């Protein structure tokens, strides 16, 4: 059965809009777990635009499920991860100007740095996932740098329409198969919502879906418990 990792970054986005303490992503994470989340994901960005160091520390101490820390492959972030020791680190590319993560990591180009960082994270007992586009060369490079998992970037599929979307779905299908053949665990995420996730679920083979914006958006209207339950039912029923 596929699992659902709930990304609570945008609870923190609302908090940061006023710079106070409400709403607290740590409380939201506990509520998401009660509603059926299999894991909690947060992205500690270098500019700290939403999730703060304090959130990551508290989540580590309070979560009942697993903590997946998304972060850039930098010495600063690796040092934080080695202190916090999340269950998973997902390494993502990061640009200061972007609204959200744009595109997967170029594992081929950055293999030396990634290899060094993955080795350090492994020494701390952390399982490492790489956020990559559904591209065979990036998958092969992920095994060479000794990643445990890949997270397939589903953003291009989610943004595409009609025939283009079918073509993007085929790329995801091939990447899931190739990743498993290479011995990698396969997760997926970015841009998935209650509608566009269905064809991806039908492919099978993905261990965990990391979903944030669509769940938090629905939660604003129907409540977090219901929003998580509805996505959890979709993912588990796949
Ligand atoms: N996976 C990764 C690696 C991401 O960077 C993000 C966005 O933070 C997500 C999943 C979740 O994307 P969304 O918020 O669009 O569901």
């Amino acid at each position: 059965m596929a699992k659902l990792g709930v990304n609570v970054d945008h609870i923190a986005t609302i908090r940061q809009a006023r710079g106070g303490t409400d709403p607290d992503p740590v409380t939201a994470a506990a509520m998401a777990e009660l509603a059926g989340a299999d894991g909690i994901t947060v992205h500690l960005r270098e500019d700290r635009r939403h999730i703060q160091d304090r959130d990551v520390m508290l989540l580590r101490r309070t979560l009942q499920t697993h903590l997946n820390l998304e972060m850039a492959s930098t010495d600063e972030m690796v040092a934080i991860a080695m202190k916090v020791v999340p269950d998973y680190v997902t390494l993502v590319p990061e640009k200061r100007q972007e609204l959200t993560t744009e595109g997967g990591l170029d594992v081929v180009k950055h293999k030396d740095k990634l290899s060094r960082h993955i080795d350090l994270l492994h020494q701390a007992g952390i399982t490492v996932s790489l956020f990559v586009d559904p591209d065979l060369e990036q998958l092969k490079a992920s095994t060479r740098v000794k990643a445990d998992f890949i997270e397939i970037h589903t953003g291009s599929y989610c943004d595409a329409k009609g025939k283009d979307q079918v073509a993007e779905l085929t790329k995801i299908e091939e990447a899931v198969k190739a990743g498993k053949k290479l011995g990698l665990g396969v997760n997926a995420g970015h841009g998935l919502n209650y509608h566009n996730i269905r064809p991806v679920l039908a492919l099978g083979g993905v261990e965990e879906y990391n979903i944030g914006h669509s769940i938090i958006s629905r939660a604003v209207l129907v409540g977090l418990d219901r929003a998580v339950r509805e996505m959890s039912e979709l993912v588990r029923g796949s």
Side-chain angles (χ1 to χ4, degrees), residues 5 7 9-10 41-43 45 50 68 70-71 90-93 98 100-103 130-132 151-155 158 188-193 209-216:
N7 180 317
D9 289 354
H10 296 304
T41 297
V42 288
H43 185 173
R45 294 189 76 104
H50 39 51
N68 174 28
E70 280 178 20
M71 58 182 223
T90 300
L91 295 172
V92 300
E98 69 192 357
T100 182
T101 316
E102 294 165 356
L130 301 181
F131 187 50
V132 290
E151 179 173 328
I152 298 173
H153 191 326
T154 51
C158 295
H190 206 282
L192 294 170
N193 63 33
Y209 292 90
N210 283 312
I211 305 177
H213 191 267
S214 62
I215 293 176
I216 305 306

Side-chain angles (χ1 to χ4, degrees), residues 1-215:
M1 195 162 43
K3 293 189 195 141
L4 171 64
V6 175
N7 180 317
V8 295
D9 289 354
H10 296 304
I11 298 288
T13 301
I14 299 170
R15 175 188 62 191
Q16 296 311 113
R18 287 290 169 97
T21 55
D22 286 331
D24 193 327
V26 180
T27 309
M31 291 177 69
E33 285 186 324
L34 289 172
D38 298 294
I40 299 296
T41 297
V42 288
H43 185 173
L44 185 66
R45 294 189 76 104
E46 291 181 276
D47 62 10
R48 306 297 197 272
R49 69 173 71 157
H50 39 51
I51 292 294
Q52 306 296 307
D53 299 57
R54 160 267 185 212
D55 303 329
V56 181
M57 301 289 177
L58 283 176
L59 286 168
R60 172 69 293 181
R61 287 165 55 190
T62 56
L63 287 187
Q64 308 280 315
T65 61
H66 61 252
L67 173 61
N68 174 28
L69 177 62
E70 280 178 20
M71 58 182 223
S73 177
T74 64
D75 291 346
E76 181 209 356
M77 287 296 157
V78 170
I80 292 171
M82 290 177 77
K83 222 185 289 162
V84 174
V85 194
D87 303 284
Y88 298 89
V89 157
T90 300
L91 295 172
V92 300
E94 206 175 291
K95 292 190 219 113
R96 296 225 168 202
Q97 311 309 329
E98 69 192 357
L99 286 178
T100 182
T101 316
E102 294 165 356
L105 278 170
D106 191 340
V107 187
V108 177
K109 185 169 167 194
H110 300 296
K111 64 180 181 344
D112 294 338
K113 182 181 66 173
L114 287 167
S115 206
R116 183 165 60 81
H117 285 158
I118 291 169
D119 192 35
L120 286 168
L121 294 165
H122 278 164
Q123 282 175 37
I126 303 165
T127 302
V128 184
S129 181
L130 301 181
F131 187 50
V132 290
D133 291 323
D135 173 316
L136 187 58
E137 288 314 309
Q138 298 298 339
L139 268 57
K140 286 187 189 158
S142 300
T143 60
R144 288 198 292 272
V145 297
K146 305 224 161 28
D148 307 291
F149 274 78
I150 49 161
E151 179 173 328
I152 298 173
H153 191 326
T154 51
S156 299
Y157 157 78
C158 295
D159 290 341
K161 300 264 181 289
K163 266 201 302 205
D164 292 342
Q165 192 167 47
V166 175
E168 291 298 334
L169 186 64
T170 304
K171 285 189 202 164
I172 295 172
E173 182 174 24
E174 285 166 2
V176 174
K177 283 191 194 142
K180 290 174 98 68
K181 217 163 159 191
L182 288 164
L184 293 158
V186 179
N187 296 333
H190 206 282
L192 294 170
N193 63 33
Y194 296 78
H195 309 287
N196 64 21
I197 196 172
R198 290 172 192 270
V200 187
L201 290 169
L203 300 176
V206 171
E207 290 188 34
E208 182 161 315
Y209 292 90
N210 283 312
I211 305 177
H213 191 267
S214 62
I215 293 176

